[in-house]
Amino acid sequence: MDKLCSMREAAASVQDGALIALGGNTLNRAPMEAVLELIRLRKQHLRLIKTAGGLDVDLLALGGCLDSVDAGFISLETEYGLAQHYRRAVQAGQVIANEHACYTVISALRAGAYGIPFMPVRGLQISDLRKVNDYFADVADPFGGEKLAAVKALRPDVAVIHVQKADACGNALIEGPKYDDVLMTRAAKRVIVTAEAIVDDGWFSRNEVKADVPHFMVSHVVRARMGAFPGSCFGAYEPDEQMIRRYTGLENAVQLRELIGEVEKV
């Protein structure tokens, strides 16, 4: 089944209030073109899951799209400093930050992928995270009685990932670091794939390297050359320092939408 569509169609399928997981890691292979389209469409009340977020989370906060974020880390890496738009939105009470350790986001997604309500984790016994996030609780090992912490499952309504190659049916290949993208696709109810290149229908059957995401999990496929811009995409391009600094210097959503219009022309 051909699932190839426009970015507008794919982003429009994300409902206001959806629980959405974004692939990539900080400034690397995040689905930035999809993020910008969500902002263009003025999506609201999104509840975001991201193990280690960066410019994607920051811009969604500036665009007024977010209600909450479950994440272990949000930053623009050492080179560009803190994600200030996200930080201000949290401080102003506009966005709820459900703070995790990165591994508890991963554990929560694993629980979602396995279809169970929570995942036991070692650690967090004396962590202050438990004071600020209701996703954590105590459980007892039913076999040995050991007290463990547990994290509530996260099952996204949709996962949005950017990949290097995909076919029109939805089979997708991630080259280089995969981060948590594959896990997100297993936990999510459906998946949107944006791809640097669309390969022919027989490409995966002819090659030894197989798809990281199978077609039956995917609802939409979008051809998105430079789809992680201004971040990096392994094997294709590095972060664009000038554009990242322009984004970090924005003051409001109006300026953001003006700059998005410029990005469309890149």
Side-chain angles (χ1 to χ4, degrees):
M1 178 180 176
D2 190 331
K3 300 172 184 176
L4 200 59
C5 66
S6 68
M7 188 65 75
R8 176 59 57 96
E9 182 180 352
S13 75
V14 178
Q15 300 296 313
D16 286 346
L19 182 61
I20 177 173
L22 294 180
N25 186 282
T26 58
L27 297 176
N28 305 295
R29 204 174 41 71
M32 287 302 303
E33 187 173 337
V35 165
L36 296 179
E37 190 63 35
L38 291 170
I39 296 169
R40 289 188 194 98
L41 292 173
R42 301 178 185 269
K43 293 294 181 178
Q44 296 182 323
H45 307 301
L46 298 179
R47 297 168 294 136
L48 188 64
I49 302 168
K50 183 89 182 196
T51 304
L55 193 60
D56 48 356
V57 180
D58 203 44
L59 294 184
L60 285 168
L62 179 60
C65 301
L66 299 180
D67 269 10
S68 67
V69 176
D70 283 80
F73 175 82
I74 306 293
S75 175
L76 303 184
E77 303 185 11
T78 304
E79 182 71 18
Y80 307 102
L82 296 174
Q84 296 289 7
H85 302 308
Y86 171 69
R87 181 180 184 178
R88 283 192 288 269
V90 172
Q91 289 175 330
Q94 299 165 350
V95 174
I96 297 171
N98 295 318
E99 189 172 356
H100 287 254
C102 289
Y103 87 97
T104 63
V105 178
I106 293 170
S107 296
L109 288 169
R110 283 178 177 159
Y114 298 159
I116 56 178
F118 65 89
M119 180 65 69
V121 294
R122 291 197 178 277
L124 297 182
Q125 295 298 318
I126 56 174
S127 172
D128 285 344
L129 284 178
R130 297 170 62 98
K131 300 177 182 178
V132 297
N133 192 337
D134 293 336
Y135 277 62
F136 304 119
D138 291 324
V139 294
D141 174 2
F143 301 101
E146 180 183 4
K147 180 181 176 182
L148 296 168
V151 60
K152 184 179 179 180
L154 287 171
R155 191 178 184 210
D157 295 313
V158 58
V160 185
I161 66 169
H162 185 65
V163 306
Q164 283 84 356
K165 293 181 176 67
D167 64 21
C169 296
N171 298 300
L173 175 66
I174 301 169
E175 296 174 339
K178 302 184 190 302
Y179 307 121
D180 308 306
D181 295 40
V182 174
L183 176 59
M184 288 178 175
T185 66
R186 274 41 174 187
K189 298 174 184 176
R190 66 183 181 92
V191 180
I192 294 173
V193 169
T194 70
E196 290 287 325
I198 302 298
V199 299
D200 65 80
D201 289 344
W203 191 90
F204 284 98
S205 62
R206 295 194 307 269
N207 285 273
E208 293 184 1
V209 178
K210 301 305 180 184
D212 293 298
V213 184
H215 64 90
F216 57 83
M217 293 182 172
V218 176
S219 62
H220 297 75
V221 181
V222 181
R223 180 185 287 106
R225 179 181 170 274
M226 301 287 288
F229 179 87
S232 72
C233 185
F234 178 85
Y237 45 88
E238 295 297 316
D240 186 300
E241 178 178 355
Q242 181 180 5
M243 186 59 74
I244 292 172
R245 293 199 183 280
R246 289 187 68 186
Y247 272 124
T248 58
L250 296 173
E251 296 181 359
N252 54 57
V254 173
Q255 292 179 350
L256 172 59
R257 291 189 171 89
E258 290 175 352
L259 188 51
I260 289 174
E262 294 183 32
V263 172
E264 290 177 336
K265 302 174 184 178
V266 174

